[in-house]
Coordinates of all heavy atoms in Angstrom, one line a residue:
M1 N 255.4 -70.0 94.1 CA 254.2 -70.4 93.5 C 254.3 -71.4 92.4 O 253.6 -72.3 92.3 CB 253.5 -69.1 93.0 CG 252.1 -69.4 92.4 SD 251.0 -69.9 93.7 CE 249.5 -70.0 92.9
K2 N 255.4 -71.2 91.6 CA 255.7 -72.2 90.5 C 256.0 -73.6 91.0 O 255.5 -74.6 90.4 CB 256.8 -71.7 89.6 CG 256.5 -70.5 88.7 CD 257.6 -70.2 87.8 CE 257.3 -69.0 87.0 NZ 258.4 -68.6 86.1
M3 N 256.7 -73.6 92.1 CA 257.0 -74.9 92.7 C 255.8 -75.7 93.2 O 255.6 -76.9 93.0 CB 257.9 -74.8 94.0 CG 259.4 -74.9 93.7 SD 259.9 -76.1 92.5 CE 261.1 -76.9 93.5
I4 N 254.8 -75.0 93.8 CA 253.6 -75.6 94.2 C 252.8 -76.1 93.0 O 252.3 -77.2 93.1 CB 252.7 -74.6 95.0 CG1 253.5 -74.2 96.3 CG2 251.4 -75.1 95.3 CD1 252.9 -73.1 97.1
L5 N 252.7 -75.3 92.0 CA 252.0 -75.7 90.8 C 252.6 -77.0 90.1 O 251.9 -77.9 89.8 CB 252.0 -74.6 89.7 CG 251.2 -74.9 88.5 CD1 249.8 -75.3 88.7 CD2 251.3 -73.7 87.5
I6 N 254.0 -77.0 90.1 CA 254.7 -78.2 89.5 C 254.4 -79.4 90.4 O 254.1 -80.5 89.9 CB 256.2 -77.9 89.4 CG1 256.4 -76.8 88.3 CG2 256.9 -79.1 89.0 CD1 257.8 -76.3 88.2
A7 N 254.5 -79.2 91.7 CA 254.2 -80.4 92.6 C 252.8 -80.9 92.5 O 252.6 -82.1 92.5 CB 254.5 -79.9 94.0
A8 N 251.9 -79.9 92.3 CA 250.5 -80.3 92.2 C 250.3 -81.1 90.9 O 249.5 -82.1 90.9 CB 249.6 -79.1 92.3
L9 N 250.9 -80.6 89.8 CA 250.7 -81.3 88.5 C 251.4 -82.7 88.6 O 250.8 -83.7 88.1 CB 251.4 -80.5 87.4 CG 250.6 -79.4 86.9 CD1 251.5 -78.6 85.9 CD2 249.4 -79.9 86.2
A10 N 252.5 -82.8 89.2 CA 253.2 -84.1 89.3 C 252.3 -85.1 90.2 O 252.2 -86.3 89.8 CB 254.6 -84.0 89.9
L11 N 251.8 -84.6 91.2 CA 250.9 -85.4 92.1 C 249.7 -85.9 91.4 O 249.3 -87.0 91.4 CB 250.6 -84.7 93.4 CG 249.8 -85.4 94.4 CD1 250.5 -86.7 94.9 CD2 249.5 -84.5 95.6
S12 N 249.0 -85.0 90.7 CA 247.8 -85.3 90.0 C 248.1 -86.3 88.8 O 247.3 -87.2 88.6 CB 247.1 -84.1 89.4 OG 247.8 -83.5 88.4
T13 N 249.2 -86.1 88.1 CA 249.6 -87.1 87.1 C 249.8 -88.4 87.6 O 249.4 -89.4 87.1 CB 250.8 -86.5 86.3 OG1 250.5 -85.2 85.8 CG2 251.2 -87.4 85.2
S14 N 250.6 -88.5 88.7 CA 250.9 -89.8 89.2 C 249.7 -90.5 89.8 O 249.5 -91.7 89.7 CB 252.0 -89.7 90.3 OG 251.5 -89.0 91.4
C15 N 248.7 -89.7 90.4 CA 247.5 -90.3 90.9 C 246.7 -90.9 89.8 O 246.1 -92.0 89.9 CB 246.7 -89.2 91.7 SG 247.4 -88.8 93.2
G16 N 246.6 -90.2 88.7 CA 245.9 -90.7 87.5 C 246.4 -92.0 87.0 O 245.7 -92.9 86.7
N17 N 247.7 -92.1 87.0 CA 248.3 -93.4 86.5 C 248.1 -94.5 87.5 O 247.9 -95.6 87.1 CB 249.9 -93.2 86.3 CG 250.2 -92.3 85.1 OD1 249.3 -92.2 84.3 ND2 251.3 -91.7 85.1
D18 N 248.1 -94.2 88.8 CA 247.9 -95.2 89.8 C 246.4 -95.7 89.7 O 246.2 -96.9 89.9 CB 248.1 -94.6 91.2 CG 249.5 -94.4 91.5 OD1 250.4 -94.9 90.8 OD2 249.8 -93.6 92.5
N19 N 245.5 -94.8 89.4 CA 244.1 -95.2 89.3 C 243.9 -96.2 88.1 O 243.2 -97.2 88.2 CB 243.2 -94.0 89.1 CG 243.0 -93.3 90.4 OD1 243.2 -93.8 91.5 ND2 242.6 -92.0 90.2
R20 N 244.6 -95.9 87.0 CA 244.5 -96.8 85.8 C 245.1 -98.1 86.1 O 244.6 -99.1 85.8 CB 245.2 -96.1 84.6 CG 244.4 -95.0 84.0 CD 245.0 -94.5 82.7 NE 246.3 -93.9 83.0 CZ 246.6 -92.7 82.7 NH1 245.8 -92.0 82.0 NH2 247.8 -92.2 82.9
Q21 N 246.3 -98.1 86.8 CA 246.9 -99.4 87.1 C 246.0 -100.2 88.1 O 246.0 -101.4 88.0 CB 248.3 -99.1 87.8 CG 249.3 -98.6 86.8 CD 249.5 -99.6 85.6 OE1 249.4 -100.8 85.8 NE2 249.8 -99.0 84.4
T22 N 245.4 -99.5 89.0 CA 244.5 -100.2 90.0 C 243.4 -100.9 89.3 O 243.1 -102.1 89.5 CB 244.0 -99.2 91.0 OG1 245.1 -98.6 91.7 CG2 243.1 -99.9 92.0
V23 N 242.8 -100.2 88.3 CA 241.7 -100.8 87.6 C 242.2 -102.0 86.8 O 241.5 -103.1 86.8 CB 241.1 -99.8 86.6 CG1 240.1 -100.4 85.6 CG2 240.4 -98.7 87.4
A24 N 243.3 -101.9 86.1 CA 243.9 -103.0 85.3 C 244.3 -104.1 86.2 O 244.3 -105.3 85.7 CB 245.0 -102.5 84.5
N25 N 244.7 -103.9 87.4 CA 245.2 -105.0 88.3 C 244.1 -105.7 89.1 O 244.5 -106.6 89.8 CB 246.3 -104.4 89.2 CG 247.5 -104.0 88.5 OD1 247.8 -104.6 87.5 ND2 248.2 -103.0 89.0
H26 N 242.9 -105.3 89.0 CA 241.8 -106.0 89.7 C 241.6 -107.4 89.3 O 241.2 -108.3 90.1 CB 240.5 -105.2 89.7 CG 240.4 -104.1 90.6 ND1 240.4 -104.3 92.0 CD2 240.3 -102.8 90.4 CE1 240.3 -103.1 92.6 NE2 240.3 -102.2 91.6
A27 N 241.8 -107.7 88.0 CA 241.5 -109.0 87.5 C 242.8 -109.5 86.7 O 243.5 -108.6 86.2 CB 240.3 -109.0 86.6
P28 N 243.0 -110.8 86.6 CA 244.1 -111.2 85.8 C 243.9 -110.9 84.3 O 242.8 -110.9 83.8 CB 244.1 -112.7 86.0 CG 242.9 -113.1 86.8 CD 242.3 -111.8 87.2
M29 N 245.0 -110.5 83.7 CA 245.0 -110.1 82.3 C 245.1 -111.4 81.4 O 245.9 -112.3 81.8 CB 246.1 -109.2 82.0 CG 246.1 -107.9 82.8 SD 244.7 -106.8 82.4 CE 245.5 -105.9 81.1
E30 N 244.4 -111.5 80.4 CA 244.4 -112.6 79.4 C 244.7 -112.0 78.1 O 244.3 -111.0 77.7 CB 243.1 -113.3 79.4 CG 242.7 -113.9 80.7 CD 241.3 -114.6 80.6 OE1 241.0 -115.1 79.5 OE2 240.6 -114.7 81.6
R31 N 245.5 -112.8 77.3 CA 245.8 -112.4 75.9 C 244.7 -113.0 75.0 O 244.2 -114.1 75.2 CB 247.1 -113.0 75.4 CG 248.3 -112.4 76.1 CD 249.6 -112.9 75.5 NE 250.7 -112.5 76.3 CZ 251.3 -111.3 76.3 NH1 250.8 -110.4 75.4 NH2 252.3 -110.9 77.0
T32 N 244.3 -112.2 74.0 CA 243.2 -112.7 73.1 C 243.3 -112.0 71.8 O 244.0 -111.0 71.6 CB 241.8 -112.4 73.8 OG1 240.8 -113.1 73.0 CG2 241.5 -111.0 73.8
L33 N 242.5 -112.5 70.8 CA 242.4 -111.9 69.5 C 240.9 -111.5 69.4 O 240.0 -112.3 69.5 CB 242.8 -112.9 68.4 CG 242.6 -112.4 67.0 CD1 243.6 -111.3 66.7 CD2 242.7 -113.5 66.0
I34 N 240.7 -110.2 69.1 CA 239.3 -109.7 68.9 C 239.2 -109.3 67.4 O 240.1 -108.7 66.8 CB 239.1 -108.4 69.7 CG1 239.4 -108.7 71.2 CG2 237.7 -107.8 69.5 CD1 238.3 -109.6 71.9
V35 N 238.1 -109.8 66.8 CA 237.8 -109.4 65.4 C 236.9 -108.2 65.4 O 235.9 -108.2 66.1 CB 237.2 -110.6 64.7 CG1 236.8 -110.2 63.2 CG2 238.1 -111.8 64.7
G36 N 237.2 -107.2 64.6 CA 236.4 -106.0 64.6 C 235.2 -106.1 63.7 O 234.9 -107.2 63.3
S37 N 234.6 -105.0 63.4 CA 233.5 -104.9 62.5 C 233.9 -104.4 61.2 O 234.9 -103.7 61.0 CB 232.4 -104.0 63.2 OG 231.3 -103.9 62.3
A38 N 233.1 -104.7 60.2 CA 233.3 -104.1 58.8 C 232.8 -102.7 58.7 O 232.9 -102.2 57.6 CB 232.7 -105.1 57.8
E39 N 232.3 -102.1 59.7 CA 231.8 -100.8 59.7 C 233.0 -99.8 59.7 O 234.1 -100.1 60.1 CB 231.0 -100.5 60.9 CG 229.8 -101.3 61.1 CD 229.1 -101.2 62.4 OE1 228.4 -100.2 62.6 OE2 229.4 -102.0 63.3
S40 N 232.7 -98.6 59.2 CA 233.7 -97.5 59.3 C 233.0 -96.2 59.8 O 232.1 -95.8 59.2 CB 234.3 -97.2 57.9 OG 235.3 -96.2 58.0
P41 N 233.5 -95.7 61.0 CA 234.5 -96.2 61.8 C 234.1 -97.5 62.5 O 232.9 -97.7 62.8 CB 234.8 -95.1 62.8 CG 233.5 -94.3 62.9 CD 232.9 -94.5 61.5
D42 N 235.1 -98.3 62.9 CA 234.8 -99.6 63.5 C 234.6 -99.3 65.0 O 235.4 -98.9 65.8 CB 236.1 -100.5 63.4 CG 235.9 -101.9 63.9 OD1 235.0 -102.1 64.8 OD2 236.7 -102.7 63.6
P43 N 233.3 -99.6 65.5 CA 233.0 -99.4 66.9 C 233.8 -100.3 67.9 O 234.1 -99.9 69.0 CB 231.5 -99.7 67.0 CG 231.2 -100.5 65.8 CD 232.2 -100.2 64.7
V44 N 234.2 -101.5 67.4 CA 235.0 -102.4 68.3 C 236.4 -101.8 68.5 O 236.8 -101.7 69.6 CB 235.0 -103.8 67.7 CG1 235.9 -104.7 68.5 CG2 233.6 -104.4 67.5
L45 N 237.0 -101.4 67.4 CA 238.3 -100.7 67.5 C 238.2 -99.4 68.3 O 239.1 -99.2 69.2 CB 238.9 -100.5 66.1 CG 240.3 -99.8 66.1 CD1 241.3 -100.7 66.8 CD2 240.7 -99.6 64.6
D46 N 237.2 -98.7 68.1 CA 237.0 -97.4 68.9 C 237.0 -97.8 70.4 O 237.6 -97.1 71.2 CB 235.8 -96.7 68.5 CG 235.9 -96.0 67.1 OD1 237.1 -95.9 66.6 OD2 234.9 -95.6 66.6
R47 N 236.2 -98.8 70.8 CA 236.1 -99.2 72.2 C 237.4 -99.7 72.7 O 237.8 -99.3 73.9 CB 235.0 -100.3 72.3 CG 234.8 -100.7 73.7 CD 234.2 -99.6 74.6 NE 233.9 -100.1 75.9 CZ 234.1 -99.4 77.0 NH1 234.6 -98.1 76.9 NH2 233.9 -99.9 78.2
V48 N 238.1 -100.4 71.9 CA 239.5 -100.9 72.4 C 240.4 -99.7 72.7 O 241.1 -99.7 73.7 CB 240.1 -101.9 71.3 CG1 241.6 -102.1 71.6 CG2 239.3 -103.2 71.3
R49 N 240.4 -98.7 71.8 CA 241.2 -97.5 72.0 C 240.8 -96.8 73.2 O 241.7 -96.3 73.9 CB 241.1 -96.6 70.7 CG 241.7 -97.2 69.5 CD 243.2 -97.4 69.6 NE 243.8 -97.8 68.4 CZ 244.9 -98.4 68.3 NH1 245.6 -98.8 69.3 NH2 245.4 -98.8 67.1
E50 N 239.5 -96.7 73.5 CA 239.0 -96.0 74.7 C 239.6 -96.7 76.0 O 240.1 -96.1 76.9 CB 237.5 -96.0 74.8 CG 236.8 -95.1 73.8 CD 235.3 -95.3 73.9 OE1 234.8 -96.0 74.7 OE2 234.6 -94.7 73.0
L51 N 239.5 -98.1 76.0 CA 239.9 -98.9 77.1 C 241.4 -98.8 77.2 O 242.0 -98.9 78.3 CB 239.4 -100.3 76.9 CG 237.9 -100.5 77.0 CD1 237.5 -101.9 76.5 CD2 237.4 -100.3 78.5
E52 N 242.1 -98.7 76.1 CA 243.6 -98.7 76.1 C 244.0 -97.4 76.8 O 245.0 -97.3 77.6 CB 244.1 -98.7 74.7 CG 245.7 -98.7 74.6 CD 246.2 -98.8 73.2 OE1 245.5 -98.3 72.3 OE2 247.3 -99.3 73.0
K53 N 243.3 -96.3 76.5 CA 243.7 -95.0 77.1 C 243.6 -95.0 78.6 O 244.3 -94.3 79.3 CB 242.8 -93.9 76.5 CG 243.2 -93.5 75.1 CD 242.3 -92.4 74.6 CE 242.6 -92.0 73.2 NZ 241.6 -91.1 72.6
T54 N 242.6 -95.8 79.1 CA 242.4 -95.9 80.6 C 243.3 -96.9 81.2 O 243.4 -97.0 82.5 CB 240.9 -96.2 80.9 OG1 240.7 -97.5 80.4 CG2 240.0 -95.2 80.4
G55 N 244.0 -97.7 80.4 CA 244.9 -98.7 81.0 C 244.3 -100.0 81.2 O 244.9 -100.9 81.7
I56 N 243.0 -100.1 81.0 CA 242.3 -101.4 81.2 C 242.7 -102.5 80.2 O 242.8 -103.6 80.5 CB 240.8 -101.2 81.2 CG1 240.4 -100.2 82.3 CG2 240.0 -102.5 81.3 CD1 238.9 -99.8 82.3
V57 N 242.9 -102.0 79.0 CA 243.4 -102.9 77.9 C 244.9 -102.6 77.6 O 245.2 -101.4 77.6 CB 242.5 -102.7 76.6 CG1 243.1 -103.4 75.4 CG2 241.1 -103.3 76.9
Q58 N 245.7 -103.6 77.5 CA 247.1 -103.3 77.3 C 247.7 -104.1 76.1 O 247.0 -105.1 75.6 CB 247.9 -103.7 78.5 CG 247.5 -102.9 79.7 CD 248.1 -103.4 81.0 OE1 248.9 -104.4 81.0 NE2 247.9 -102.7 82.1
D59 N 248.9 -103.8 75.7 CA 249.6 -104.5 74.6 C 248.7 -104.6 73.3 O 248.6 -105.7 72.7 CB 250.0 -105.9 75.1 CG 250.9 -105.8 76.3 OD1 251.6 -104.8 76.5 OD2 251.0 -106.8 77.1
V60 N 248.1 -103.6 72.9 CA 247.2 -103.6 71.8 C 248.0 -103.6 70.5 O 248.9 -102.8 70.3 CB 246.2 -102.4 71.8 CG1 245.4 -102.3 70.5 CG2 245.4 -102.4 73.0
V61 N 247.7 -104.6 69.6 CA 248.3 -104.7 68.3 C 247.2 -104.8 67.3 O 246.4 -105.7 67.3 CB 249.3 -105.9 68.2 CG1 249.8 -106.0 66.8 CG2 250.4 -105.8 69.2
V62 N 247.1 -103.8 66.4 CA 246.0 -103.8 65.4 C 246.7 -104.3 64.1 O 247.6 -103.8 63.6 CB 245.5 -102.4 65.2 CG1 244.4 -102.4 64.1 CG2 244.9 -101.9 66.5
M63 N 246.1 -105.4 63.6 CA 246.7 -106.0 62.3 C 245.9 -105.5 61.1 O 244.7 -105.3 61.2 CB 246.6 -107.6 62.5 CG 247.5 -108.1 63.5 SD 247.4 -109.9 63.7 CE 246.2 -109.9 65.0
E64 N 246.6 -105.4 60.1 CA 246.0 -104.9 58.8 C 245.2 -106.1 58.2 O 245.8 -107.0 57.6 CB 247.1 -104.4 57.8 CG 247.7 -103.1 58.3 CD 248.7 -102.6 57.3 OE1 248.4 -102.8 56.1 OE2 249.6 -102.0 57.7
S65 N 244.0 -106.1 58.4 CA 243.1 -107.1 57.8 C 241.7 -106.5 57.7 O 241.5 -105.4 58.2 CB 243.0 -108.3 58.7 OG 242.5 -108.0 60.0
F66 N 240.8 -107.1 57.0 CA 239.4 -106.6 56.9 C 238.5 -107.8 57.2 O 238.5 -108.7 56.4 CB 239.2 -106.0 55.6 CG 237.8 -105.3 55.6 CD1 237.7 -104.0 56.1 CD2 236.7 -105.9 55.0 CE1 236.5 -103.4 56.2 CE2 235.5 -105.2 55.0 CZ 235.4 -104.0 55.6
P67 N 237.7 -107.7 58.2 CA 237.7 -106.6 59.2 C 239.0 -106.7 60.1 O 239.7 -107.8 60.1 CB 236.5 -106.8 60.1 CG 236.0 -108.2 59.8 CD 236.6 -108.6 58.5
V68 N 239.3 -105.6 60.8 CA 240.5 -105.6 61.6 C 240.6 -106.7 62.6 O 239.5 -107.1 63.1 CB 240.6 -104.2 62.2 CG1 239.6 -104.0 63.3 CG2 242.0 -103.9 62.7
Q69 N 241.8 -107.1 62.9 CA 242.0 -108.1 64.0 C 242.9 -107.4 65.0 O 243.8 -106.7 64.7 CB 242.7 -109.4 63.5 CG 241.8 -110.2 62.6 CD 242.5 -111.4 62.1 OE1 243.4 -111.9 62.7 NE2 242.0 -112.0 61.0
I70 N 242.5 -107.5 66.3 CA 243.2 -106.8 67.4 C 243.7 -107.8 68.4 O 242.9 -108.5 69.0 CB 242.2 -105.8 68.0 CG1 241.5 -105.0 67.0 CG2 243.0 -104.9 69.0 CD1 240.2 -104.4 67.4
R71 N 245.0 -107.9 68.6 CA 245.6 -108.7 69.7 C 245.7 -107.7 70.9 O 246.1 -106.6 70.7 CB 246.9 -109.2 69.3 CG 246.9 -110.3 68.3 CD 248.1 -111.2 68.4 NE 248.0 -112.2 67.4 CZ 247.3 -113.3 67.5 NH1 246.6 -113.6 68.6 NH2 247.3 -114.2 66.5
L72 N 245.4 -108.2 72.1 CA 245.4 -107.4 73.3 C 245.5 -108.2 74.5 O 245.3 -109.5 74.5 CB 244.2 -106.4 73.3 CG 242.8 -107.0 73.2 CD1 242.3 -107.5 74.5 CD2 241.9 -106.0 72.7
R73 N 245.7 -107.6 75.6 CA 245.6 -108.2 77.0 C 244.6 -107.4 77.7 O 244.6 -106.2 77.7 CB 247.0 -108.1 77.7 CG 248.0 -109.1 77.3 CD 249.2 -109.2 78.1 NE 249.6 -108.0 78.7 CZ 249.8 -107.8 80.1 NH1 249.5 -108.8 80.9 NH2 250.2 -106.7 80.5
A74 N 243.7 -108.1 78.4 CA 242.6 -107.5 79.2 C 242.0 -108.5 80.1 O 242.2 -109.7 80.0 CB 241.5 -107.0 78.2
P75 N 241.3 -108.0 81.2 CA 240.6 -108.9 82.0 C 239.5 -109.6 81.3 O 238.9 -109.1 80.3 CB 240.0 -107.9 83.1 CG 240.8 -106.7 83.0 CD 241.2 -106.6 81.6
R76 N 239.1 -110.8 81.7 CA 238.1 -111.6 81.0 C 236.8 -110.8 80.8 O 236.2 -110.9 79.8 CB 237.9 -112.9 81.9 CG 236.7 -113.8 81.4 CD 236.6 -114.1 80.0 NE 237.8 -114.7 79.4 CZ 238.0 -114.9 78.1 NH1 237.0 -114.6 77.2 NH2 239.1 -115.4 77.6
K77 N 236.4 -110.1 81.8 CA 235.1 -109.3 81.7 C 235.2 -108.3 80.5 O 234.2 -108.2 79.8 CB 234.9 -108.5 83.0 CG 233.6 -107.8 83.1 CD 233.4 -107.1 84.4 CE 232.2 -106.2 84.4 NZ 232.0 -105.6 85.7
V78 N 236.3 -107.7 80.3 CA 236.4 -106.8 79.2 C 236.5 -107.5 77.9 O 235.8 -107.1 76.9 CB 237.7 -105.9 79.4 CG1 238.0 -105.0 78.2 CG2 237.6 -105.1 80.6
I79 N 237.1 -108.6 77.8 CA 237.2 -109.5 76.6 C 235.8 -109.9 76.2 O 235.4 -109.8 75.1 CB 238.1 -110.7 76.8 CG1 239.6 -110.2 76.9 CG2 237.9 -111.7 75.7 CD1 240.5 -111.3 77.4
D80 N 235.0 -110.3 77.2 CA 233.6 -110.7 77.0 C 232.8 -109.6 76.5 O 231.9 -109.7 75.6 CB 233.0 -111.3 78.3 CG 233.6 -112.6 78.7 OD1 234.3 -113.3 77.8 OD2 233.4 -113.0 79.8
E81 N 233.0 -108.4 77.0 CA 232.3 -107.2 76.6 C 232.6 -106.9 75.1 O 231.7 -106.7 74.3 CB 232.7 -106.0 77.4 CG 232.2 -104.6 76.8 CD 232.9 -103.4 77.4 OE1 233.4 -103.5 78.5 OE2 232.9 -102.4 76.7
L82 N 233.9 -107.0 74.7 CA 234.3 -106.7 73.3 C 233.7 -107.8 72.4 O 233.3 -107.4 71.3 CB 235.8 -106.7 73.2 CG 236.5 -105.5 74.0 CD1 238.0 -105.6 74.0 CD2 236.1 -104.2 73.3
N83 N 233.8 -109.0 72.8 CA 233.2 -110.1 72.0 C 231.7 -110.0 71.8 O 231.2 -110.5 70.8 CB 233.6 -111.5 72.5 CG 235.0 -111.8 72.2 OD1 235.6 -111.5 71.2 ND2 235.7 -112.5 73.1
A84 N 231.0 -109.4 72.7 CA 229.6 -109.3 72.7 C 229.1 -108.1 71.8 O 227.9 -108.1 71.5 CB 229.0 -109.2 74.1
M85 N 230.0 -107.3 71.5 CA 229.6 -106.1 70.6 C 229.0 -106.6 69.3 O 229.6 -107.5 68.7 CB 230.8 -105.1 70.5 CG 231.2 -104.4 71.7 SD 232.5 -103.3 71.4 CE 231.7 -102.0 70.4
P86 N 228.0 -105.9 68.8 CA 227.4 -106.3 67.5 C 228.4 -105.9 66.4 O 229.2 -104.9 66.5 CB 226.2 -105.5 67.4 CG 226.1 -104.5 68.5 CD 227.2 -104.9 69.5
R87 N 228.5 -106.7 65.3 CA 229.4 -106.5 64.2 C 228.6 -106.6 62.9 O 227.7 -107.4 62.8 CB 230.5 -107.5 64.3 CG 231.5 -107.3 65.4 CD 232.3 -108.5 65.6 NE 233.4 -108.3 66.6 CZ 233.2 -108.3 67.9 NH1 232.1 -108.4 68.4 NH2 234.3 -108.1 68.7
V88 N 229.2 -105.9 61.9 CA 228.7 -106.0 60.6 C 229.7 -106.8 59.7 O 230.9 -106.4 59.7 CB 228.4 -104.6 60.0 CG1 228.1 -104.7 58.5 CG2 227.4 -103.9 60.8
G89 N 229.3 -107.8 59.0 CA 230.1 -108.5 58.1 C 231.4 -109.2 58.7 O 232.4 -109.3 58.0
A90 N 231.3 -109.7 59.9 CA 232.4 -110.3 60.5 C 232.0 -111.6 61.2 O 230.9 -111.8 61.7 CB 233.0 -109.4 61.6
M91 N 232.9 -112.6 61.1 CA 232.7 -113.9 61.8 C 233.4 -113.8 63.1 O 234.5 -113.3 63.2 CB 233.2 -115.0 60.9 CG 232.5 -115.1 59.6 SD 233.1 -116.4 58.5 CE 233.0 -117.8 59.5
R92 N 232.9 -114.4 64.1 CA 233.5 -114.4 65.4 C 234.0 -115.8 65.8 O 233.5 -116.8 65.7 CB 232.6 -113.9 66.5 CG 232.5 -112.4 66.5 CD 231.8 -112.0 67.7 NE 230.5 -111.4 67.2 CZ 229.5 -111.1 67.9 NH1 229.5 -111.3 69.1 NH2 228.4 -110.5 67.4

C-alpha cells in the first residue's frame, strides 16, 4: 500500500510540474523590468509572485527600490497584463 501511495504522489507531482512547464512554453519568454506600485502590500509584486508559483513567470529578481522594480522573464501577454495594472505613485 505504501508503494502505491508513493507512486501516486510522484506521478501527481510530476504531472503538476509538466502542466506549469506547458503553460510557460506556449509563448516565447521575454525579459523585462516591471515597476511596482507604492502601495503596501504591492499588488503588482503579489501578482508576479502568484505567476511565479505557477511557472508562468520565471527568473524573478526583486530589486530594493521604491517602488519596487522587478526583473523577470514571461510571455508578452503576461508582461502586458502586469504593465496594465493600476499603480499608486509610480511612473511607468
Side-chain angles (χ1 to χ4, degrees):
M1 184 67 176
K2 287 183 181 178
M3 264 326 230
I4 293 171
L5 181 58
I6 292 170
L9 281 172
L11 183 59
S12 67
T13 302
S14 67
C15 287
N17 291 339
D18 289 345
N19 288 340
R20 286 188 293 236
Q21 290 300 331
T22 301
V23 170
N25 290 332
H26 278 296
M29 302 289 272
E30 299 179 29
R31 293 186 189 279
T32 192
L33 176 71
I34 302 291
V35 176
S37 178
E39 299 169 79
S40 182
D42 184 343
V44 178
L45 181 58
D46 289 346
R47 181 66 179 141
V48 168
R49 293 295 188 203
E50 289 172 10
L51 293 167
E52 182 181 30
K53 285 180 185 175
T54 64
I56 296 171
V57 169
Q58 299 174 356
D59 301 333
V60 175
V61 176
V62 179
M63 294 178 266
E64 292 185 31
S65 61
F66 188 79
V68 69
Q69 294 181 19
I70 310 158
R71 289 204 181 279
L72 55 81
R73 283 188 327 122
R76 171 51 50 190
K77 182 177 177 181
V78 174
I79 293 169
D80 292 343
E81 171 196 335
L82 293 170
N83 282 327
M85 290 181 70
R87 288 163 173 77
V88 172
M91 297 176 56
R92 282 190 247 167

